[in-house]
């Protein structure tokens, strides 16, 4: 049995306050219930948090454009430095911010993202070409190289997203093969577009290096005996 600490009256075991003096009854052996907050808790999902961060980043990137374009127009007319700044910020915004603003994934979204990135990259380079260059290098070199990059990127995505997942070695080997093809295509584009230009053959060096590594990794992935030989050679 228990008694009230204030008036000493005997208390029932289920009493929460003294029936005589209304003093609260404390049961030291019973766990105390956590107090409920006076207002409902607001839980922000990680996706929504990323979206809010993307909106804030968009406003931060928009502010320099709104400030610099009037300054360029009224204080330094005849120059185009604000165009370069705006194009660079828009490019970065599309690359890094827009993925967090999309609520639902579109079908074939990796391909769509790659094509859009290639298009915005081409537009960015065209802005630099239009305001700061002469000649036709954009149409003869830049545009074909971007097109080849997007095409080989789609082939790589197709291979990596197959239902039957290839091994890690095969993935790396296939990616190196795509690098080798891109280097060869870049070398051909330069030779066809500018035959009088002396080329250092850097692209060919990349082509042969990536090809050798791709063949080596493919052999290591397909042949157990070759992998066993490598293990004995380097780890014993």
């Amino acid at each position: 049995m228990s008694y009230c600490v204030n008036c000493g009256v005997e208390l029932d075991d289920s009493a929460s306050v003294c029936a005589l003096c209304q003093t609260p009854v404390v049961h030291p052996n019973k766990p105390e219930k956590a107090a409920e907050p006076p207002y409902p808790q607001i839980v922000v999902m990680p996706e929504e948090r990323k979206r809010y961060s993307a909106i804030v980043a968009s406003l931060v990137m928009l502010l320099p454009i709104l400030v610099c374009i009037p300054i360029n127009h009224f204080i330094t007319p005849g120059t185009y430095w604000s165009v370069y700044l705006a194009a660079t910020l828009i490019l970065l915004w599309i690359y890094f911010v827009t993925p967090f603003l999309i609520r639902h994934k579109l079908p074939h979204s990796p391909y769509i993202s790659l094509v859009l990135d290639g298009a915005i990259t081409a537009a960015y380079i065209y802005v630099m070409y239009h305001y700061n260059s002469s000649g036709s290098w954009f149409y003869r070199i830049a545009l074909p190289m971007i097109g080849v990059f997007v095409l080989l990127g789609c082939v790589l995505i197709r291979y990596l997203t197959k239902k039957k997942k290839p091994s890690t070695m095969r993935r790396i080997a296939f990616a190196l093969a795509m690098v080798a093809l891109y280097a060869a295509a870049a070398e051909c584009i330069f030779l066809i577009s500018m035959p009088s230009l002396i080329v250092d053959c850097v692209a060919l060096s990349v082509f042969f290096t990536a090809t050798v590594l791709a063949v080596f990794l493919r052999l290591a992935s397909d042949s157990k005996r070759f992998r066993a030989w490598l293990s004995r050679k380097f780890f014993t």
Side-chain angles (χ1 to χ4, degrees):
M1 72 181 55
S2 57
Y3 300 90
C4 177
V5 295
N6 184 42
C7 64
V9 71
E10 184 179 348
L11 299 174
D12 185 76
D13 291 339
S14 62
S16 58
V17 294
C18 176
L20 183 62
C21 64
Q22 303 300 315
T23 301
V25 177
V26 178
H27 299 278
N29 295 329
K30 292 185 179 180
E32 295 184 3
K33 294 183 179 179
E36 295 183 0
Y39 49 86
Q41 296 294 313
I42 300 175
V43 179
V44 180
M45 301 300 291
E47 294 78 10
E48 291 299 323
R49 190 179 297 112
K50 291 179 181 179
R51 190 165 177 268
Y52 294 150
S53 301
I55 294 174
V56 173
S58 302
L59 295 176
V60 171
M61 298 175 77
L62 179 63
L63 184 61
I65 298 176
L66 297 178
V67 171
C68 292
I69 288 180
I71 292 176
N72 186 186
H73 179 72
F74 293 107
I75 299 179
T76 57
T79 60
Y80 304 102
W81 59 268
S82 64
V83 176
Y84 304 146
L85 173 66
T88 302
L89 289 176
I90 292 172
L91 179 71
L92 295 176
W93 180 78
I94 292 177
Y95 278 169
F96 301 109
V97 180
T98 51
F100 298 105
L101 293 174
I102 300 175
R103 286 182 178 271
H104 303 288
K105 290 186 178 181
L106 299 173
H108 308 293
S109 57
Y111 302 99
I112 296 174
S113 298
L114 183 60
V115 172
L116 289 178
D117 289 345
I120 193 61
T121 302
Y124 175 76
I125 296 175
Y126 178 78
V127 169
M128 302 301 171
Y129 163 77
H130 180 74
Y131 286 100
N132 202 29
S133 264
S134 58
S136 58
W137 61 265
F138 173 78
Y139 301 100
R140 296 168 61 184
I141 297 176
L143 204 56
M145 290 185 68
I146 294 173
V148 172
F149 180 84
V150 172
L151 178 62
L152 293 178
C154 290
V155 175
L156 180 60
I157 292 172
R158 175 67 177 173
Y159 180 79
L160 296 178
T161 55
K162 288 167 53 176
K163 290 184 178 180
K164 186 178 179 181
K165 297 293 183 183
S167 63
T168 302
M169 279 190 178
R170 287 194 175 191
R171 294 179 188 180
I172 298 174
F174 194 85
L176 288 170
M178 294 298 100
V179 171
L181 287 177
Y182 184 72
E187 190 76 20
C188 293
I189 290 171
F190 271 101
L191 290 176
I192 293 172
S193 302
M194 309 177 74
S196 60
L197 183 66
I198 300 176
V199 185
D200 328 359
C201 296
V202 176
L204 288 180
S205 302
V206 175
F207 169 77
F208 287 117
T209 304
T211 302
V212 170
L213 289 174
V215 172
F216 176 81
L217 290 175
R218 186 57 188 264
L219 289 174
S221 174
D222 293 344
S223 175
K224 292 183 179 180
R225 298 180 66 182
F226 185 63
R227 290 200 303 271
W229 179 82
L230 288 176
S231 300
R232 291 193 304 270
K233 192 73 175 176
F234 294 102
F235 299 104
T236 58

